Amino acid sequence: MERLSVLDAGFLQVEDSDPRVSLAIGSVTILEGPAPDFEEFTTVLGGRLAAAPRLRQVVRTHPLDLEPPHWADVDELDLGHHLRRVALPAPGGDAELFDLVSEIIERRLDRNYPLWECWLVEGLADDRWALIVKLHHAVADGVSATAMMAALNDDDGTTGSFATHLHEAHETEHPSLLSRISLNPLDWGKAAWELSAGAADLAIQTVRGSVTIVGDMVRPAPESSLNGPVGSLRRYRAVRVPIADIRAIAHAFDATFNDVALAAVTHGYRQVMLNRGESPRPDSLRTLIPVSVRDTAALDTPDNRVSLMLPLLPVDLQTPLEQLKTLRRRMRRAKSSGQRQAGANVVDVANRFLPFPLTAWTVRAVSRLPQRNIAGLATNVPGPREQVRMLGRTVVAMLPIPPLAVRLRIGVAMLSYADDLTFGILADYDSNPDLDLLAEGIESAVADLARQV
């Protein structure tokens, strides 16, 4: 029996705390036509998805959370429940596609079945079609979900991914302490000293990072239209920018790829706040940034292996260049604060040593509190570095769909595919009628920075 980790189960518990949210993540894959008939779609793509063991399992919970939920195989996978077909109304443009994405992602997945859906979407402009894949966050994080969906490709998922270049996938800041022990008895005294010193250093960094995270979460924040109760309906938008521009900007201003992407998101948020008559302050937009702690050996393991950072995005600054320079400093400081290590180590301790009922009840209680300190979500997911094909058709674009919960009214996910970085934006419908301003602000920020390279 395979049990869910504390983090995996936490996504179920957070979803349970608010009947108006769905903690599904997803992607939109746009392909050249013609679209396959439904029989081909079901036979080929349905078969490829069903080959993933996790997608043939349901989650089983226990009364009062006395035991962790576990995965259980279904006797027979009902593809008719998971594979759907729909056509866009004319003219089949972005507006019609984004409306459909909103309708699909806002509905909760039925926990009586494996937690995924795949939609064949016909009727896109220019003789194109699309796949919308929806997956519960309890099944996988962005990196492992992308690896899982790579099985849909005609190359069997062997195309290289940007994930192979993630810092976390190449370096472990604290390699296994036991790996330092030599077989030579003469070295055991030195090894014992290194073990104790390494353990002490790890403990100090965990405590320091934990204190920083807790401080950021409880520090009073100004009122913001970006944080508050959410309804059950969603809006979705997406914007694509050239990866070459992001890299050139990062090189010119001694920043990272993520720094540039976050600067663009910052500028977009600022345009929204100004349009709403709000005065952006230095402490207006504390943002939850999930950070992968997954190594290469676990890229294909379906689960969640993320920590977090909680930087303030500088929406008070006027230009994208000012925002980028400030973000560069803040992100370096956040990375050195131990937040990422603290989050990962706290989850590991909870998995190993704490009674599951205690962690589950805590998550349920905390997620019902009116969280007011975090106003944004920004996550970056690496995708294929080269164009891929499905059913003999070229994949033109991939758009990410982030989750929404805990009073966050807007979430932004970034997905790299071939030559483009796509920003997928999911928002609460009622509180964000001006969501186009965020997408336009992201696009204009990248264009403005590229002109200064």
Side-chain angles (χ1 to χ4, degrees):
M1 182 172 64
E2 184 179 358
R3 294 180 170 181
L4 279 70
S5 71
V6 168
L7 185 55
D8 296 340
F11 289 111
L12 298 174
Q13 295 147 8
V14 170
E15 185 179 70
D16 289 341
S17 71
D18 188 341
R20 296 160 297 185
V21 305
S22 165
L23 264 171
I25 57 177
S27 65
V28 184
T29 303
I30 300 175
L31 301 98
E32 293 179 346
D37 59 44
F38 195 63
E39 182 179 355
E40 181 185 11
F41 165 69
T42 301
T43 301
V44 180
L45 294 188
R48 291 176 183 176
L49 283 168
R54 183 68 81 239
L55 301 185
R56 301 181 62 88
Q57 296 175 321
V58 293
V59 64
R60 300 297 189 201
T61 57
H62 301 274
L64 302 177
D65 294 317
L66 295 179
E67 295 181 52
H70 67 273
W71 297 109
D73 294 332
V74 295
D75 294 330
E76 184 176 352
L77 184 65
D78 180 9
L79 285 177
H81 174 80
H82 299 279
L83 302 180
R84 315 288 179 87
R85 182 184 187 184
V86 67
L88 291 183
D94 285 348
E96 291 76 25
L97 178 61
F98 294 166
D99 285 348
L100 177 63
V101 171
S102 303
E103 293 173 10
I104 289 175
I105 203 68
E106 69 195 13
R107 296 193 292 266
R108 285 189 172 187
L109 289 160
D110 188 340
R111 295 189 191 175
N112 292 311
Y113 295 86
L115 297 174
W116 63 277
E117 294 173 357
C118 183
W119 293 70
L120 169 63
V121 184
E122 300 177 278
L124 273 69
D126 302 320
D127 192 34
R128 293 177 174 179
W129 59 286
L131 288 178
I132 299 176
V133 176
K134 177 180 174 183
L135 184 72
H136 200 284
H137 215 328
V139 175
D141 57 26
V143 173
S144 61
T146 301
M148 190 183 300
M149 293 304 104
L152 294 175
N153 302 342
D154 290 345
D155 65 358
D156 297 324
T158 57
T159 299
S161 164
F162 287 98
T164 57
H165 293 284
L166 288 175
H167 173 78
E168 291 76 20
H170 278 289
E171 293 185 31
T172 304
E173 295 189 18
H174 293 281
S176 171
L177 298 178
L178 293 177
S179 67
R180 303 180 189 178
I181 298 179
S182 166
L183 295 178
N184 185 347
L186 298 177
D187 294 331
W188 289 354
K190 178 183 178 183
W193 172 259
E194 290 179 349
L195 281 171
S196 60
D201 178 64
L202 183 59
I204 291 171
Q205 195 166 40
T206 298
V207 170
R208 186 178 67 217
S210 299
V211 169
T212 303
I213 291 173
V214 172
D216 289 343
M217 295 182 71
V218 302
R219 188 173 291 113
E223 291 287 332
S224 172
S225 63
L226 301 173
N227 176 294
V230 299
S232 57
L233 302 181
R234 299 289 176 262
R235 296 180 192 267
Y236 180 78
R237 297 292 184 272
V239 59
R240 283 188 285 170
V241 301
I243 284 178
D245 284 355
I246 302 288
R247 287 175 172 161
I249 295 164
H251 178 74
F253 297 108
D254 189 28
T256 68
F257 189 98
N258 281 347
D259 292 342
V260 179
L262 283 174
V265 172
T266 301
H267 190 68
Y269 272 121
R270 175 178 169 83
Q271 304 315 303
V272 170
M273 296 178 73
L274 291 174
N275 181 66
R276 297 176 181 178
E278 300 178 26
S279 298
R281 293 172 31 175
D283 59 349
S284 290
L285 191 60
R286 188 168 299 283
T287 300
L288 171 61
I289 300 179
V291 181
S292 176
V293 292
R294 185 180 299 272
D295 59 36
T296 50
L299 285 178
D300 295 322
T301 303
D303 61 6
N304 288 271
R305 302 191 188 193
V306 294
S307 185
L308 58 87
M309 293 190 293
L310 295 169
L312 285 164
L313 300 191
V315 288
D316 55 308
L317 302 179
Q318 294 186 8
T319 70
L321 184 56
E322 291 177 301
Q323 293 160 356
L324 174 59
K325 291 180 177 180
T326 300
L327 263 171
R328 181 184 61 191
R329 295 192 297 271
R330 289 184 182 176
M331 292 306 295
R332 288 176 179 173
R333 187 162 57 245
K335 291 171 184 175
S336 65
S337 71
Q339 289 188 15
R340 182 177 69 85
Q341 295 81 3
N345 291 333
V346 167
V347 170
D348 185 56
V349 168
N351 278 320
R352 292 172 180 268
F353 304 114
L354 297 183
F356 181 79
L358 175 62
T359 63
W361 299 340
T362 301
V363 170
R364 291 188 187 278
V366 171
S367 59
R368 284 179 167 83
L369 296 176
Q371 179 278 126
R372 293 187 174 89
N373 301 80
I374 303 170
L377 166 71
T379 179
N380 192 354
V381 181
R385 289 174 292 176
E386 303 169 0
Q387 278 198 330
V388 297
R389 294 172 68 83
M390 294 182 188
L391 296 175
R393 285 87 163 173
T394 299
V395 172
V396 177
M398 291 184 177
L399 321 178
I401 310 172
L404 275 189
V406 292
R407 292 173 56 94
L408 298 181
R409 288 175 165 173
I410 300 178
V412 181
M414 296 159 269
L415 177 65
S416 310
Y417 171 63
D419 296 328
D420 292 323
L421 177 68
T422 300
F423 296 77
I425 309 165
L426 187 69
D428 173 55
Y429 184 91
D430 294 327
S431 57
N432 294 284
D434 52 357
L435 191 61
D436 286 330
L437 288 176
L438 178 53
E440 293 166 2
I442 290 171
E443 190 171 25
S444 67
V446 174
D448 180 76
L449 288 168
R451 285 192 294 268
Q452 300 180 61
V453 172

